[in-house]
Amino acid sequence: LPFLLIYDMILEKTGCSLVYAPDCSLHEGLAYDYAFKNHLLKPIHDFEEDVLSAAWAIANRYGSYKPHLRMMDKVCQEIFDATKPYHGLSERERVMMRCCAILHDCGKYISLSQAGKSSYSIIMATEILGLSHEERRMVALVAEHNHTRNVSYELMEDEMDIEEYFVFTKLLAILRISNALDRSHKQKMKNRSISVQDGKLFISTSSQGSITLEKGYFEEKADFFQEVFAIRPVLREKRD
């Protein structure tokens, strides 16, 4: 009876016209959730792919340039993994980082001059399957402030608490460096290696074209990355 009352309330509040009834009950879902969170079960279904699939659907809907996003996604993962000892972020936040990379410029579909605010509006107005409201809001804030010069806590404290701010700046720093590496949107740095040595994040790459534009933006974004992680990103161009 309690579960029936819950179902009835969901139908009443949502006003939905179609209901899918899975071959399991609510208490079975609660039991699974407990077992999953306590590492008693390993899920067969990859729920992270559901999240990323939803993010790609949004990017497609708003005409984002997919070659640039695919490179951003890969570079963000590489930097995230290389700097694990420094950022202390979880695998869940790695998924959020990938969503930031995929959705960071979806707002350009609406406005080039207000792309950040438009990206925030799009992300917050669109459900991303698998992300909670707060996780989606974090992705939206990172996308909104991708090009904001001053993101000090004094200016952001109305948006988040101090713990959320730490996560926000780490995701933002990785996104900005990744974006700088493909500033021309031509994926010039396909051959690259990323590693941390002697307190520096070395990004070594060989490119057939000029990366002068990328170098200029990289140095600008490296300052913020160093401020957040206390390691200096260094871009090294290999000569064939």
Side-chain angles (χ1 to χ4, degrees), residues 70-86:
R70 282 194 288 266
M71 179 173 175
M72 285 276 295
D73 182 24
K74 290 180 181 178
V75 174
C76 279
Q77 292 180 73
E78 292 167 5
I79 295 177
F80 187 100
D81 294 340
T83 56
K84 273 186 178 180
Y86 297 87

PDB file of all heavy atoms in Angstrom, residues 70-86:
ATOM      1  N   ARG A  70      34.974  16.003 -29.391  1.00  0.00           N
ATOM      2  CA  ARG A  70      35.594  14.692 -29.182  1.00  0.00           C
ATOM      3  C   ARG A  70      37.029  14.838 -28.691  1.00  0.00           C
ATOM      4  O   ARG A  70      37.471  14.099 -27.803  1.00  0.00           O
ATOM      5  CB  ARG A  70      35.543  13.870 -30.475  1.00  0.00           C
ATOM      6  CG  ARG A  70      34.173  13.241 -30.741  1.00  0.00           C
ATOM      7  CD  ARG A  70      34.259  12.193 -31.823  1.00  0.00           C
ATOM      8  NE  ARG A  70      34.464  12.783 -33.133  1.00  0.00           N
ATOM      9  CZ  ARG A  70      33.493  13.075 -33.987  1.00  0.00           C
ATOM     10  NH1 ARG A  70      32.241  12.818 -33.658  1.00  0.00           N
ATOM     11  NH2 ARG A  70      33.756  13.603 -35.166  1.00  0.00           N
ATOM     12  N   MET A  71      37.748  15.810 -29.266  1.00  0.00           N
ATOM     13  CA  MET A  71      39.112  16.029 -28.793  1.00  0.00           C
ATOM     14  C   MET A  71      39.117  16.572 -27.367  1.00  0.00           C
ATOM     15  O   MET A  71      39.911  16.154 -26.532  1.00  0.00           O
ATOM     16  CB  MET A  71      39.856  16.997 -29.715  1.00  0.00           C
ATOM     17  CG  MET A  71      41.276  17.253 -29.227  1.00  0.00           C
ATOM     18  SD  MET A  71      42.276  18.231 -30.365  1.00  0.00           S
ATOM     19  CE  MET A  71      43.769  18.429 -29.375  1.00  0.00           C
ATOM     20  N   MET A  72      38.208  17.510 -27.082  1.00  0.00           N
ATOM     21  CA  MET A  72      38.094  18.049 -25.733  1.00  0.00           C
ATOM     22  C   MET A  72      37.827  16.935 -24.726  1.00  0.00           C
ATOM     23  O   MET A  72      38.426  16.887 -23.644  1.00  0.00           O
ATOM     24  CB  MET A  72      36.959  19.072 -25.685  1.00  0.00           C
ATOM     25  CG  MET A  72      37.274  20.399 -26.331  1.00  0.00           C
ATOM     26  SD  MET A  72      38.154  21.495 -25.228  1.00  0.00           S
ATOM     27  CE  MET A  72      36.940  21.774 -23.955  1.00  0.00           C
ATOM     28  N   ASP A  73      36.933  16.048 -25.082  1.00  0.00           N
ATOM     29  CA  ASP A  73      36.583  14.934 -24.201  1.00  0.00           C
ATOM     30  C   ASP A  73      37.818  14.079 -23.903  1.00  0.00           C
ATOM     31  O   ASP A  73      38.084  13.722 -22.747  1.00  0.00           O
ATOM     32  CB  ASP A  73      35.487  14.102 -24.867  1.00  0.00           C
ATOM     33  CG  ASP A  73      35.013  12.942 -24.001  1.00  0.00           C
ATOM     34  OD1 ASP A  73      35.155  13.021 -22.767  1.00  0.00           O
ATOM     35  OD2 ASP A  73      34.497  11.954 -24.555  1.00  0.00           O
ATOM     36  N   LYS A  74      38.585  13.751 -24.932  1.00  0.00           N
ATOM     37  CA  LYS A  74      39.769  12.910 -24.743  1.00  0.00           C
ATOM     38  C   LYS A  74      40.844  13.612 -23.926  1.00  0.00           C
ATOM     39  O   LYS A  74      41.442  13.027 -23.019  1.00  0.00           O
ATOM     40  CB  LYS A  74      40.330  12.500 -26.115  1.00  0.00           C
ATOM     41  CG  LYS A  74      39.450  11.518 -26.876  1.00  0.00           C
ATOM     42  CD  LYS A  74      40.057  11.154 -28.217  1.00  0.00           C
ATOM     43  CE  LYS A  74      39.178  10.190 -28.992  1.00  0.00           C
ATOM     44  NZ  LYS A  74      39.752   9.866 -30.329  1.00  0.00           N
ATOM     45  N   VAL A  75      41.106  14.887 -24.244  1.00  0.00           N
ATOM     46  CA  VAL A  75      42.151  15.618 -23.538  1.00  0.00           C
ATOM     47  C   VAL A  75      41.777  15.814 -22.070  1.00  0.00           C
ATOM     48  O   VAL A  75      42.627  15.680 -21.177  1.00  0.00           O
ATOM     49  CB  VAL A  75      42.422  16.975 -24.217  1.00  0.00           C
ATOM     50  CG1 VAL A  75      43.405  17.802 -23.388  1.00  0.00           C
ATOM     51  CG2 VAL A  75      42.977  16.775 -25.624  1.00  0.00           C
ATOM     52  N   CYS A  76      40.519  16.126 -21.802  1.00  0.00           N
ATOM     53  CA  CYS A  76      40.075  16.281 -20.418  1.00  0.00           C
ATOM     54  C   CYS A  76      40.296  14.999 -19.619  1.00  0.00           C
ATOM     55  O   CYS A  76      40.760  15.040 -18.466  1.00  0.00           O
ATOM     56  CB  CYS A  76      38.596  16.663 -20.371  1.00  0.00           C
ATOM     57  SG  CYS A  76      38.263  18.412 -20.653  1.00  0.00           S
ATOM     58  N   GLN A  77      39.994  13.853 -20.236  1.00  0.00           N
ATOM     59  CA  GLN A  77      40.212  12.573 -19.559  1.00  0.00           C
ATOM     60  C   GLN A  77      41.697  12.336 -19.290  1.00  0.00           C
ATOM     61  O   GLN A  77      42.086  11.883 -18.202  1.00  0.00           O
ATOM     62  CB  GLN A  77      39.665  11.435 -20.411  1.00  0.00           C
ATOM     63  CG  GLN A  77      38.151  11.420 -20.529  1.00  0.00           C
ATOM     64  CD  GLN A  77      37.676  10.263 -21.381  1.00  0.00           C
ATOM     65  OE1 GLN A  77      37.713   9.098 -20.958  1.00  0.00           O
ATOM     66  NE2 GLN A  77      37.238  10.551 -22.591  1.00  0.00           N
ATOM     67  N   GLU A  78      42.524  12.655 -20.268  1.00  0.00           N
ATOM     68  CA  GLU A  78      43.963  12.438 -20.123  1.00  0.00           C
ATOM     69  C   GLU A  78      44.550  13.314 -19.017  1.00  0.00           C
ATOM     70  O   GLU A  78      45.362  12.857 -18.203  1.00  0.00           O
ATOM     71  CB  GLU A  78      44.667  12.709 -21.456  1.00  0.00           C
ATOM     72  CG  GLU A  78      44.332  11.680 -22.538  1.00  0.00           C
ATOM     73  CD  GLU A  78      44.771  12.129 -23.927  1.00  0.00           C
ATOM     74  OE1 GLU A  78      45.424  13.189 -24.034  1.00  0.00           O
ATOM     75  OE2 GLU A  78      44.459  11.420 -24.905  1.00  0.00           O
ATOM     76  N   ILE A  79      44.144  14.582 -18.982  1.00  0.00           N
ATOM     77  CA  ILE A  79      44.640  15.484 -17.938  1.00  0.00           C
ATOM     78  C   ILE A  79      44.093  15.069 -16.577  1.00  0.00           C
ATOM     79  O   ILE A  79      44.821  15.065 -15.577  1.00  0.00           O
ATOM     80  CB  ILE A  79      44.251  16.943 -18.257  1.00  0.00           C
ATOM     81  CG1 ILE A  79      44.960  17.412 -19.535  1.00  0.00           C
ATOM     82  CG2 ILE A  79      44.608  17.862 -17.088  1.00  0.00           C
ATOM     83  CD1 ILE A  79      44.578  18.814 -19.981  1.00  0.00           C
ATOM     84  N   PHE A  80      42.814  14.714 -16.527  1.00  0.00           N
ATOM     85  CA  PHE A  80      42.190  14.268 -15.277  1.00  0.00           C
ATOM     86  C   PHE A  80      42.946  13.075 -14.706  1.00  0.00           C
ATOM     87  O   PHE A  80      43.277  13.044 -13.509  1.00  0.00           O
ATOM     88  CB  PHE A  80      40.731  13.906 -15.537  1.00  0.00           C
ATOM     89  CG  PHE A  80      39.930  13.595 -14.296  1.00  0.00           C
ATOM     90  CD1 PHE A  80      39.092  14.554 -13.747  1.00  0.00           C
ATOM     91  CD2 PHE A  80      39.989  12.344 -13.700  1.00  0.00           C
ATOM     92  CE1 PHE A  80      38.334  14.271 -12.610  1.00  0.00           C
ATOM     93  CE2 PHE A  80      39.249  12.055 -12.554  1.00  0.00           C
ATOM     94  CZ  PHE A  80      38.419  13.021 -12.010  1.00  0.00           C
ATOM     95  N   ASP A  81      43.238  12.085 -15.544  1.00  0.00           N
ATOM     96  CA  ASP A  81      43.919  10.875 -15.079  1.00  0.00           C
ATOM     97  C   ASP A  81      45.373  11.155 -14.681  1.00  0.00           C
ATOM     98  O   ASP A  81      45.878  10.590 -13.704  1.00  0.00           O
ATOM     99  CB  ASP A  81      43.872   9.800 -16.162  1.00  0.00           C
ATOM    100  CG  ASP A  81      42.448   9.308 -16.431  1.00  0.00           C
ATOM    101  OD1 ASP A  81      41.588   9.495 -15.552  1.00  0.00           O
ATOM    102  OD2 ASP A  81      42.207   8.760 -17.527  1.00  0.00           O
ATOM    103  N   ALA A  82      46.045  12.033 -15.425  1.00  0.00           N
ATOM    104  CA  ALA A  82      47.446  12.334 -15.137  1.00  0.00           C
ATOM    105  C   ALA A  82      47.613  13.105 -13.831  1.00  0.00           C
ATOM    106  O   ALA A  82      48.659  13.014 -13.181  1.00  0.00           O
ATOM    107  CB  ALA A  82      48.066  13.124 -16.291  1.00  0.00           C
ATOM    108  N   THR A  83      46.595  13.854 -13.436  1.00  0.00           N
ATOM    109  CA  THR A  83      46.694  14.708 -12.242  1.00  0.00           C
ATOM    110  C   THR A  83      45.907  14.161 -11.049  1.00  0.00           C
ATOM    111  O   THR A  83      45.618  14.894 -10.109  1.00  0.00           O
ATOM    112  CB  THR A  83      46.205  16.136 -12.560  1.00  0.00           C
ATOM    113  OG1 THR A  83      44.861  16.081 -13.088  1.00  0.00           O
ATOM    114  CG2 THR A  83      47.105  16.804 -13.587  1.00  0.00           C
ATOM    115  N   LYS A  84      45.571  12.882 -11.065  1.00  0.00           N
ATOM    116  CA  LYS A  84      44.813  12.290  -9.967  1.00  0.00           C
ATOM    117  C   LYS A  84      45.424  12.543  -8.589  1.00  0.00           C
ATOM    118  O   LYS A  84      44.709  12.849  -7.634  1.00  0.00           O
ATOM    119  CB  LYS A  84      44.648  10.781 -10.192  1.00  0.00           C
ATOM    120  CG  LYS A  84      43.441  10.408 -11.032  1.00  0.00           C
ATOM    121  CD  LYS A  84      43.271   8.903 -11.095  1.00  0.00           C
ATOM    122  CE  LYS A  84      42.031   8.524 -11.906  1.00  0.00           C
ATOM    123  NZ  LYS A  84      41.855   7.061 -11.978  1.00  0.00           N
ATOM    124  N   PRO A  85      46.748  12.418  -8.436  1.00  0.00           N
ATOM    125  CA  PRO A  85      47.318  12.651  -7.099  1.00  0.00           C
ATOM    126  C   PRO A  85      47.159  14.088  -6.612  1.00  0.00           C
ATOM    127  O   PRO A  85      47.343  14.357  -5.426  1.00  0.00           O
ATOM    128  CB  PRO A  85      48.806  12.311  -7.296  1.00  0.00           C
ATOM    129  CG  PRO A  85      48.861  11.445  -8.508  1.00  0.00           C
ATOM    130  CD  PRO A  85      47.772  11.949  -9.390  1.00  0.00           C
ATOM    131  N   TYR A  86      46.815  15.004  -7.507  1.00  0.00           N
ATOM    132  CA  TYR A  86      46.732  16.417  -7.149  1.00  0.00           C
ATOM    133  C   TYR A  86      45.297  16.901  -6.939  1.00  0.00           C
ATOM    134  O   TYR A  86      45.073  17.811  -6.142  1.00  0.00           O
ATOM    135  CB  TYR A  86      47.409  17.281  -8.224  1.00  0.00           C
ATOM    136  CG  TYR A  86      48.878  17.014  -8.361  1.00  0.00           C
ATOM    137  CD1 TYR A  86      49.333  15.995  -9.198  1.00  0.00           C
ATOM    138  CD2 TYR A  86      49.811  17.759  -7.656  1.00  0.00           C
ATOM    139  CE1 TYR A  86      50.698  15.741  -9.326  1.00  0.00           C
ATOM    140  CE2 TYR A  86      51.170  17.509  -7.772  1.00  0.00           C
ATOM    141  CZ  TYR A  86      51.607  16.495  -8.606  1.00  0.00           C
ATOM    142  OH  TYR A  86      52.955  16.230  -8.724  1.00  0.00           O
TER     143      TYR A  86
END
